[in-house]
Amino acid sequence: MDGRRRERGRRTAVASIMTDGNRTTADPEPGSESIEWLSLAADETVDWRGGPRIQTVYPWVGLSIVGTVAVLAAVALEVVSLLALLWLPVFVAPALWQYARVTRTVFLVTTHRVAVRSGVFGVTVRTAGLDRIQNTSVVQEPIGRLVGYGTVTIDPAGGPEFEFWNVDDPASVLSELESRREHASSSGVPGSADRWEAVLEEVRGWRRAVERER
């Protein structure tokens, strides 16, 4: 009897550990993640978070591999001296730099603004309020249209453009951004559009009545 109880207790403990592990590794709920490089307002949440696609680095990795193999082959065949190995960092460094640049770039759309974090050795953060955005557009090269990636360009008033560059499915990113813009615009003015239309019609009626009395 005691052995069965101990077995059930062991199974319960294992199940509890597995459950806790799943909670730890699960993705956070939308808007619940903390952004260490950006201070969010009390009523501000993250609606979309992304970055450049990692495939952006692939051409640089290919060049690095080709250059490294060429140097090693030349040294092995004694075409060049061992000093040629000093060229290896020249081929590897650009790929590492591009990888760091891509992985450390973050694009955000919150309920209040857009933000871009960039920088390899340092951190540069640019933000613009949704109410300041004048124009948005999507730019896709022929390969981007075929594969499904592109750049979302954001033009804020009184500042340089933002670019969410080489993001997957840029049309959906633009749609999310426009949705947040419309919501921010409607929430900034009290009352619905129908209500303001009714107020405008009432004012027009008063104006016509005053003109008739004249």
Side-chain angles (χ1 to χ4, degrees):
M1 187 69 177
D2 293 339
R4 292 180 180 178
R5 289 179 180 176
R6 285 195 296 269
E7 180 65 20
R8 284 198 297 268
R10 186 182 65 83
R11 291 179 180 177
T12 302
V14 171
S16 177
I17 293 172
M18 292 177 64
T19 302
D20 291 341
N22 290 338
R23 289 175 183 172
T24 302
T25 58
D27 293 334
E29 295 181 359
S32 64
E33 66 266 38
S34 60
I35 309 299
E36 60 182 13
W37 48 269
L38 184 68
S39 298
L40 300 179
D43 59 342
E44 184 179 13
T45 57
V46 176
D47 288 332
W48 179 84
R49 177 173 183 168
R53 60 201 310 264
I54 194 63
Q55 289 87 343
T56 304
V57 185
Y58 288 177
W60 296 94
V61 173
L63 291 175
S64 175
I65 293 175
V66 170
T68 300
V69 170
V71 170
L72 293 178
V75 171
L77 295 174
E78 297 183 352
V79 176
V80 295
S81 67
L82 291 176
L83 293 177
L85 296 176
L86 297 176
W87 283 93
L88 291 180
V90 176
F91 294 109
V92 175
L96 294 177
W97 176 268
Q98 291 298 325
Y99 176 79
R101 177 171 173 258
V102 167
T103 56
R104 290 179 62 83
T105 298
V106 181
F107 308 132
L108 285 183
V109 177
T110 75
T111 50
H112 295 178
R113 53 186 163 170
V114 295
V116 175
R117 178 207 185 279
S118 59
V120 176
F121 297 115
V123 175
T124 300
V125 178
R126 292 183 57 208
T127 64
L130 295 176
D131 56 345
R132 291 180 50 214
I133 297 176
Q134 295 178 324
N135 298 300
T136 57
S137 61
V138 171
V139 178
Q140 287 182 285
E141 302 292 339
I143 296 179
R145 294 192 189 97
L146 181 64
V147 179
Y149 73 91
T151 297
V152 178
T153 302
I154 304 167
D155 182 17
E161 288 184 343
F162 284 68
E163 286 190 347
F164 290 179
W165 50 278
N166 284 6
V167 294
D168 287 317
D169 197 3
S172 66
V173 177
L174 182 63
S175 176
E176 177 67 29
L177 178 57
E178 289 298 323
S179 175
R180 292 314 315 171
R181 284 183 63 195
E182 293 176 3
H183 181 75
S185 299
S186 61
S187 61
V189 179
S192 63
D194 293 338
R195 185 173 181 180
W196 281 107
E197 186 66 28
V199 171
L200 179 60
E201 187 62 31
E202 186 70 20
V203 171
R204 288 171 179 169
W206 293 344
R207 181 178 178 180
R208 288 192 293 267
V210 170
E211 290 176 351
R212 285 197 297 268
E213 290 179 0
R214 292 178 180 177

